[in-house]
Amino acid sequence: MENFVQYNPTKVIFGREVTDQLPAEISWKKALVVIGESSAKRNGLYARVVSLMNMAGLEHVTFEGVKASATYQDADKAVKLAKEYGAEVVVAIGGCSVIDTAKAVAAGFYSNHSVWDFYMLKEAPQQALPVLNIQTIASTGSAMNNISVLCDYETGIKKDFSSPLFYPKTAFLDPYYSVTVPAKQTAFGVSTMIAYAFEQFLNDGDAVLTDYFTGDLIRLSIQYGKEVMQNLGDYQLRSNLMWMATIALNDTLSSGRNYSDKSISCLANALDVLFGIGHGASLAIVLCAWLKYHQYRYLNRIKFLAKHVFGLENVDSDFTVNTFVQKLQDFYRCIGVPVKLSEAGIDPSQKQNILQSFQKNKISVSNYKMADKDYEALLDLMW
């Protein structure tokens, strides 16, 4: 078991109508509100939050239009607005990209350079505004972690950056607002939480309790993922998925592991900036190929999940691994998530562009160094 520090200062307020408790968490006078392109206004949540802020005496200005794959350019614009307004707190209303942007803005408020310098490891944040978030989708768990992911489409790079300053102060998780999330985005959210659980599980370190947490989270994500696709309006299913998505990336599943290899998510990021097929789709495509390509490195880990998730037990290791990956792919297809590049509409003529993007976006610290031939062989498994 690897050494670890368990620290998460984010206060989570979970359940139906918990957003009404927002005024009790407010002790500032001026806020920058960050929202996406339309959903927060369409479902009425933005208007409700504005009303609650008015009740608490919190004045605000809004930055609107954060994209599904958030860009550093939008974050820089929001920082400028926050500085001009004199914001004292950042309030994020929306999905993970909105929250990721809010984190970047909070740190960028106290800097004189682009927030992208943090992600490119040119600068380190020294201070940040507090962040409150009202999350609307079950996906990456950004509401309760210290990670932010931004894109630069001009250079074709999508990067994550983590800092203790990025932990939100308070997260309001009301599953009711995820009920209106369309089937495709719901499925991609389920795919995302599964992939991040896998990625941590495949890192170095023997952590028995963490193994069982991970196995149960993946098993339940598959069970509830299938069920919610048949009943998108089921509040209880939405509740379970929202909490599991939060747990999937709030350090619970990395305890006792050396979570330094983020190759799966980095390679998925490379597909995201090229094709915009959705992070949940990119992760599923990369994960299935990764498990096949590295099956002998991860044999015992895969056999554990094969038994715990699907009840597979067989003395033939090849059969167990292949059957496990096939069942995983069957699940993804069942909920409408592609597991092959061809299923996502990506033609083999894009091969060189993808390989170049892999090289740009590959992780710098990894448990397993991949050569050019490894990337090419891995990519072949994605078609």
Side-chain angles (χ1 to χ4, degrees):
M1 193 168 184
E2 300 292 320
N3 294 354
F4 68 92
V5 175
Q6 183 70 274
Y7 171 76
N8 194 315
T10 300
K11 178 179 180 179
V12 174
I13 304 177
F14 186 101
R16 184 71 181 95
E17 298 183 346
V18 294
T19 308
D20 288 350
Q21 299 178 41
L22 178 64
E25 299 297 313
I26 291 175
S27 59
W28 309 274
K29 296 298 183 183
K30 302 179 79 173
L32 173 75
V33 178
V34 180
I35 62 175
E37 296 179 287
S38 62
S39 62
K41 286 189 172 180
R42 189 173 60 247
N43 66 18
L45 179 57
Y46 173 77
R48 185 170 188 173
V49 172
V50 167
S51 176
L52 291 165
M53 289 192 299
N54 289 339
M55 289 171 53
L58 180 62
E59 300 175 3
H60 75 280
V61 64
T62 299
F63 181 85
E64 183 175 359
V66 173
K67 303 170 184 64
S69 287
T71 68
Y72 87 84
Q73 290 91 343
D74 279 348
D76 280 345
K77 292 176 185 176
V79 168
K80 184 174 184 293
L81 179 59
K83 288 181 176 181
E84 291 172 348
Y85 185 67
E88 300 169 350
V89 61
V90 182
V91 179
I93 309 171
C96 299
S97 292
V98 171
I99 299 171
D100 286 352
T101 300
K103 293 173 181 178
V105 173
F109 184 86
Y110 290 103
S111 69
N112 295 315
H113 54 76
S114 170
V115 299
W116 193 236
D117 288 348
F118 298 143
Y119 297 76
M120 299 305 289
L121 304 181
K122 294 179 180 179
E123 301 284 347
Q126 302 300 316
Q127 192 175 355
L129 292 174
V131 173
L132 308 180
N133 69 75
I134 300 96
Q135 188 171 355
T136 58
I137 186 171
S139 186
T140 68
S142 189
M144 195 189 177
N145 66 35
N146 67 338
I147 303 168
S148 170
V149 182
L150 295 181
C151 297
D152 177 13
Y153 284 103
E154 293 178 4
T155 60
I157 294 175
K158 183 176 181 180
K159 292 273 290 183
D160 74 277
F161 179 73
S162 60
S163 166
L165 296 171
F166 277 3
Y167 283 110
K169 181 176 177 60
T170 308
F172 298 86
L173 305 182
D174 184 345
Y176 173 78
Y177 289 107
S178 69
V179 167
T180 59
V181 175
K184 180 179 178 180
Q185 281 69 40
T186 298
F188 283 5
V190 173
S191 172
T192 298
M193 67 181 79
I194 290 172
Y196 279 109
F198 261 103
E199 186 172 64
Q200 294 164 87
F201 180 74
L202 297 177
N203 270 261
D204 290 341
D206 293 320
V208 176
L209 183 58
T210 304
D211 287 350
Y212 281 92
F213 281 159
T214 303
D216 278 338
L217 188 140
I218 293 172
R219 178 176 58 82
L220 291 170
S221 295
I222 290 172
Q223 176 184 331
Y224 295 143
K226 290 178 179 178
E227 292 176 6
V228 79
M229 297 306 291
Q230 302 303 314
N231 190 356
L232 293 171
D234 191 303
Y235 176 81
Q236 291 302 323
L237 291 172
R238 294 287 191 175
S239 297
N240 283 315
L241 288 170
M242 181 166 279
W243 185 234
M244 287 191 295
T246 304
I247 294 296
L249 205 60
N250 73 346
D251 297 332
T252 299
L253 302 188
S254 62
S255 297
R257 298 209 180 284
N258 176 24
Y259 187 22
S260 61
D261 193 332
K262 299 181 180 180
S263 299
I264 293 170
S265 56
C266 287
L267 294 171
N269 288 343
L271 295 179
D272 292 341
V273 293
L274 275 180
F275 306 113
I277 58 175
H279 196 49
S282 299
L283 283 167
I285 292 167
V286 173
L287 174 61
C288 292
W290 188 265
L291 291 174
K292 288 181 179 178
Y293 189 68
H294 295 293
Q295 60 181 278
Y296 296 110
R297 289 183 58 226
Y298 302 130
L299 184 57
N300 289 334
R301 297 277 170 90
I302 294 174
K303 287 171 71 174
F304 173 85
L305 288 182
K307 178 180 178 180
H308 201 72
V309 175
F310 294 122
L312 295 173
E313 290 186 83
N314 197 293
V315 293
D316 186 334
S317 297
D318 287 343
F319 172 84
T320 300
V321 171
N322 291 332
T323 305
F324 174 75
V325 174
Q326 184 60 56
K327 282 185 172 291
L328 190 61
Q329 290 178 321
D330 290 344
F331 160 71
Y332 282 131
R333 289 185 174 118
C334 173
I335 64 172
V337 176
V339 295
K340 297 287 186 180
L341 290 170
S342 55
E343 294 175 15
I346 300 171
D347 191 85
S349 63
Q350 294 288 336
K351 182 174 182 178
Q352 289 307 312
N353 289 335
I354 296 173
L355 290 172
Q356 290 174 8
S357 189
F358 282 175
Q359 291 297 331
K360 284 183 185 178
N361 288 278
K362 67 181 180 182
I363 192 167
S364 58
V365 179
S366 174
N367 297 332
Y368 176 75
K369 302 299 181 184
M370 292 181 65
D372 290 346
K373 63 180 180 62
D374 294 307
Y375 284 105
E376 188 163 1
L378 180 67
L379 179 56
D380 287 340
L381 291 172
M382 296 184 196
W383 262 297

